[in-house]
Amino acid sequence: MIADPAYTLELEHVSRHFDGRAVLSDISLAIPPGRITCLLGQSGCGKSTLLRIISGVDRPDPGGRIFLGGREVAGPGHFVEPENRRIGFMFQDYALFPHLTVADNLAFGLRHLSRQQRRERVVEVVERIGLAHLLDRYPHSLSGGERLRRSRPFC
């Protein structure tokens, strides 16, 4: 497969092994712009691992390559950090940073805005959903339902 900017996402021979066990093996695919694509499979088949690799949270085994809009973001000797890929990824386990307040966790994905704009956007959203009273709390002090509400994207 050759990188083609006509595709939004391309995977070329992506594999991932953990402790010698293949979780992903030689995955290649190309997704054109505007296409909605769904990963289906039983528990443990590698769906989350593939999404983690695409987003840059994890790396493919050597030899695999990933292209976004024709630009290589992972491959031999090349890796673009997750924050520079412009891909949203919602973790199944909420993935809140324990050392950050609710406000800071919410603002984390808004780094393209100034500090003041981030604060204003966070306050606007939490006031709309009635959770402004949680802004200065830390994840360990939230109930399960309060944590789940945080996992919904709002930017």
Side-chain angles (χ1 to χ4, degrees), residues 110-120:
L110 302 174
R111 288 181 294 192
H112 62 285
L113 300 176
S114 71
R115 180 183 292 265
Q116 181 62 33
Q117 289 172 317
R118 283 193 303 262
R119 181 70 183 178
E120 289 170 2

mmCIF file of all heavy atoms in Angstrom, residues 110-120:
data_model
loop_
_atom_site.group_PDB
_atom_site.id
_atom_site.type_symbol
_atom_site.label_atom_id
_atom_site.label_comp_id
_atom_site.label_asym_id
_atom_site.label_seq_id
_atom_site.Cartn_x
_atom_site.Cartn_y
_atom_site.Cartn_z
ATOM 1 N N LEU A 110 -8.271 20.707 25.234
ATOM 2 C CA LEU A 110 -8.529 22.027 24.643
ATOM 3 C C LEU A 110 -7.256 22.870 24.580
ATOM 4 O O LEU A 110 -7.311 24.100 24.616
ATOM 5 C CB LEU A 110 -9.603 22.761 25.475
ATOM 6 C CG LEU A 110 -10.942 22.050 25.623
ATOM 7 C CD1 LEU A 110 -11.845 22.817 26.569
ATOM 8 C CD2 LEU A 110 -11.599 21.875 24.260
ATOM 9 N N ARG A 111 -6.117 22.231 24.449
ATOM 10 C CA ARG A 111 -4.849 22.959 24.481
ATOM 11 C C ARG A 111 -4.680 23.932 23.323
ATOM 12 O O ARG A 111 -3.815 24.788 23.369
ATOM 13 C CB ARG A 111 -3.688 21.986 24.545
ATOM 14 C CG ARG A 111 -3.613 21.329 25.922
ATOM 15 C CD ARG A 111 -2.478 20.395 25.998
ATOM 16 N NE ARG A 111 -2.776 19.301 25.069
ATOM 17 C CZ ARG A 111 -2.119 18.181 25.010
ATOM 18 N NH1 ARG A 111 -1.104 17.989 25.788
ATOM 19 N NH2 ARG A 111 -2.451 17.245 24.160
ATOM 20 N N HIS A 112 -5.500 23.811 22.294
ATOM 21 C CA HIS A 112 -5.420 24.749 21.174
ATOM 22 C C HIS A 112 -5.993 26.116 21.550
ATOM 23 O O HIS A 112 -5.816 27.088 20.828
ATOM 24 C CB HIS A 112 -6.143 24.183 19.954
ATOM 25 C CG HIS A 112 -7.611 23.951 20.177
ATOM 26 N ND1 HIS A 112 -8.083 22.890 20.933
ATOM 27 C CD2 HIS A 112 -8.686 24.652 19.781
ATOM 28 C CE1 HIS A 112 -9.405 22.951 20.963
ATOM 29 N NE2 HIS A 112 -9.793 24.010 20.285
ATOM 30 N N LEU A 113 -6.670 26.189 22.690
ATOM 31 C CA LEU A 113 -7.239 27.448 23.177
ATOM 32 C C LEU A 113 -6.311 28.070 24.212
ATOM 33 O O LEU A 113 -5.506 27.380 24.833
ATOM 34 C CB LEU A 113 -8.606 27.180 23.825
ATOM 35 C CG LEU A 113 -9.689 26.555 22.949
ATOM 36 C CD1 LEU A 113 -10.933 26.266 23.787
ATOM 37 C CD2 LEU A 113 -10.027 27.439 21.766
ATOM 38 N N SER A 114 -6.463 29.365 24.415
ATOM 39 C CA SER A 114 -5.694 30.030 25.469
ATOM 40 C C SER A 114 -6.183 29.522 26.824
ATOM 41 O O SER A 114 -7.279 28.957 26.938
ATOM 42 C CB SER A 114 -5.880 31.544 25.387
ATOM 43 O OG SER A 114 -7.197 31.902 25.801
ATOM 44 N N ARG A 115 -5.405 29.769 27.868
ATOM 45 C CA ARG A 115 -5.782 29.340 29.221
ATOM 46 C C ARG A 115 -7.155 29.908 29.593
ATOM 47 O O ARG A 115 -8.006 29.208 30.130
ATOM 48 C CB ARG A 115 -4.730 29.792 30.224
ATOM 49 C CG ARG A 115 -5.046 29.385 31.656
ATOM 50 C CD ARG A 115 -4.017 29.912 32.624
ATOM 51 N NE ARG A 115 -2.727 29.285 32.450
ATOM 52 C CZ ARG A 115 -2.308 28.234 33.156
ATOM 53 N NH1 ARG A 115 -3.092 27.712 34.070
ATOM 54 N NH2 ARG A 115 -1.126 27.715 32.954
ATOM 55 N N GLN A 116 -7.373 31.185 29.315
ATOM 56 C CA GLN A 116 -8.654 31.831 29.635
ATOM 57 C C GLN A 116 -9.807 31.209 28.840
ATOM 58 O O GLN A 116 -10.874 30.953 29.386
ATOM 59 C CB GLN A 116 -8.570 33.343 29.364
ATOM 60 C CG GLN A 116 -9.849 34.095 29.680
ATOM 61 C CD GLN A 116 -10.236 34.021 31.161
ATOM 62 O OE1 GLN A 116 -9.381 33.976 32.037
ATOM 63 N NE2 GLN A 116 -11.524 33.994 31.436
ATOM 64 N N GLN A 117 -9.588 30.953 27.545
ATOM 65 C CA GLN A 117 -10.632 30.342 26.713
ATOM 66 C C GLN A 117 -10.954 28.934 27.188
ATOM 67 O O GLN A 117 -12.119 28.521 27.195
ATOM 68 C CB GLN A 117 -10.190 30.304 25.248
ATOM 69 C CG GLN A 117 -10.165 31.659 24.586
ATOM 70 C CD GLN A 117 -9.529 31.589 23.205
ATOM 71 O OE1 GLN A 117 -8.500 30.932 22.997
ATOM 72 N NE2 GLN A 117 -10.151 32.269 22.259
ATOM 73 N N ARG A 118 -9.940 28.173 27.601
ATOM 74 C CA ARG A 118 -10.178 26.820 28.132
ATOM 75 C C ARG A 118 -11.057 26.899 29.366
ATOM 76 O O ARG A 118 -12.035 26.157 29.497
ATOM 77 C CB ARG A 118 -8.849 26.133 28.480
ATOM 78 C CG ARG A 118 -8.094 25.610 27.304
ATOM 79 C CD ARG A 118 -6.970 24.670 27.730
ATOM 80 N NE ARG A 118 -6.018 25.265 28.637
ATOM 81 C CZ ARG A 118 -4.846 25.780 28.294
ATOM 82 N NH1 ARG A 118 -4.479 25.786 27.039
ATOM 83 N NH2 ARG A 118 -4.032 26.272 29.204
ATOM 84 N N ARG A 119 -10.695 27.773 30.277
ATOM 85 C CA ARG A 119 -11.463 27.912 31.527
ATOM 86 C C ARG A 119 -12.909 28.299 31.226
ATOM 87 O O ARG A 119 -13.836 27.731 31.793
ATOM 88 C CB ARG A 119 -10.789 28.953 32.433
ATOM 89 C CG ARG A 119 -11.484 29.163 33.754
ATOM 90 C CD ARG A 119 -11.327 27.956 34.649
ATOM 91 N NE ARG A 119 -12.065 28.154 35.876
ATOM 92 C CZ ARG A 119 -12.147 27.272 36.831
ATOM 93 N NH1 ARG A 119 -11.538 26.118 36.715
ATOM 94 N NH2 ARG A 119 -12.835 27.509 37.913
ATOM 95 N N GLU A 120 -13.109 29.264 30.315
ATOM 96 C CA GLU A 120 -14.462 29.702 29.958
ATOM 97 C C GLU A 120 -15.265 28.562 29.344
ATOM 98 O O GLU A 120 -16.440 28.385 29.670
ATOM 99 C CB GLU A 120 -14.394 30.884 28.988
ATOM 100 C CG GLU A 120 -13.914 32.167 29.636
ATOM 101 C CD GLU A 120 -13.625 33.274 28.629
ATOM 102 O OE1 GLU A 120 -13.832 33.072 27.404
ATOM 103 O OE2 GLU A 120 -13.178 34.358 29.070
#
